[in-house]
Amino acid sequence: DADVTQTPRNRITKTGKRIMLECSQTKGHDRMYWYRQDPGLGLRLIYYSFDVKDINKGEISDGYSVSRQAQAKFSLSLESAIPNQTALYFCATSDSGRDRASQGTDTQYFGPGTRLTVL
Amino acid sequence: AQSVTQLDSHVSVSEGTPVLLRCNYSSSYSPSLFWYVQHPNKGLQLLLKYTSAATLVKGINGFEAEFKKSETSFHLTKPSAHMSDAAEYFCVVSDLASSASKIIFGSGTRLSIRP
């Protein structure tokens, strides 16, 4: 979905390097999420943000940090990458409906993914 | 605590035959339930969602799912499989309205379609 973009799409790095994955959205949604996908494990939530001042840890936040620079931008950092962080990473957005004083939805819209390999 | 179990990691059907992908969930609250599809080398796309309205939910591409509270199930079905349905399917339980604010993905079911 072109409304949610991720950069880079592919990255190969070495153990110990700092890596930042970026996510931008033009959907005007207030909520943003970072997931990693590993074969046989589905998607696991790393961090999520309900607005610019709200950051929450997900299921597997250790080794990761995030920054919500603006409503439209949510970046994920690996301070010191390790091989078991090799995975496919997805950003997603959803709309709480708060800005329109209406009930939002949990429906998430996903970016195309970033394939990260840590050697 | 919330959880979601997709009972089959891989399902293979012949083109034109029915599809059944099974999902059971556990939630202490009144969750929203979703099915997402992921085609090879693509992101996830919403197929359908249940949010406490009608228990039979119709989605895109002829898929539908029935919420059965007594069985804590949300199985995905399609009457007639098409080759383009080959993909990975994820059942998701979401309860962002509660203080738990949980989103849990199932481990996925890979659907293969035989010609």
Side-chain angles (χ1 to χ4, degrees):
Chain A
D1 188 336
D3 295 326
V4 184
T5 58
Q6 293 182 233
T7 56
R9 294 294 312 279
N10 287 283
R11 181 73 183 267
I12 300 173
T13 191
K14 294 182 179 180
T15 297
K17 294 291 188 181
R18 184 177 187 274
I19 296 297
M20 179 180 286
L21 308 183
E22 300 193 17
C23 177
S24 295
Q25 52 116 347
T26 59
K27 300 186 77 68
H29 290 172
D30 52 342
R31 296 178 170 181
M32 298 186 74
Y33 311 80
W34 274 105
Y35 293 89
R36 64 176 282 174
Q37 183 179 25
D38 299 277
L41 295 178
L43 274 72
R44 291 180 291 167
L45 184 62
I46 305 172
Y47 271 96
Y48 60 101
S49 169
F50 281 1
D51 67 33
V52 174
K53 298 178 182 178
D54 178 79
I55 302 290
N56 304 280
K57 292 183 177 180
E59 181 184 353
I60 52 163
S61 59
D62 287 350
Y64 301 94
S65 62
V66 292
S67 174
R68 186 83 183 265
Q69 303 95 321
Q71 187 182 39
K73 296 184 183 295
F74 191 38
S75 60
L76 175 72
S77 294
L78 288 66
E79 297 301 325
S80 179
I82 55 177
N84 75 2
Q85 290 178 313
T86 293
L88 188 55
Y89 290 83
F90 286 102
C91 174
T93 73
S94 68
D95 178 16
S96 72
R98 176 189 59 201
D99 292 343
R100 291 176 282 106
S102 65
Q103 187 175 16
T105 171
D106 297 354
T107 300
Q108 297 190 8
Y109 297 84
F110 287 82
T114 294
R115 187 169 296 281
L116 177 66
T117 302
V118 183
L119 302 176
Chain B
Q2 281 184 303
S3 67
V4 58
T5 303
Q6 291 184 241
L7 298 161
D8 306 291
S9 60
H10 182 213
V11 170
S12 179
V13 301
S14 297
E15 189 175 20
T17 65
V19 174
L20 170 63
L21 304 184
R22 298 182 294 166
C23 173
N24 285 101
Y25 73 94
S26 171
S27 176
S28 302
Y29 303 95
S30 297
S32 298
L33 295 161
F34 304 78
W35 277 98
Y36 286 86
V37 60
Q38 183 181 28
H39 286 93
N41 301 312
K42 300 286 187 182
L44 281 77
Q45 180 186 17
L46 179 70
L47 266 182
L48 50 81
K49 62 181 178 181
Y50 166 77
T51 53
S52 73
T55 57
L56 182 62
V57 182
K58 294 188 183 298
I60 61 172
N61 300 334
F63 284 94
E64 62 183 36
E66 186 171 8
F67 173 71
K68 292 186 176 180
K69 188 173 182 179
S70 61
E71 298 176 10
T72 61
S73 69
F74 190 57
H75 301 334
L76 182 70
T77 60
K78 182 174 180 177
S80 177
H82 191 274
M83 294 300 291
S84 61
D85 295 328
E88 184 117 24
Y89 292 79
F90 294 96
C91 182
V92 180
V93 58
S94 173
D95 187 25
L96 294 176
S98 78
S99 59
S101 295
K102 293 289 189 183
I103 303 172
I104 306 293
F105 278 71
S107 56
T109 298
R110 182 165 61 90
L111 176 63
S112 300
I113 311 295
R114 301 187 299 270

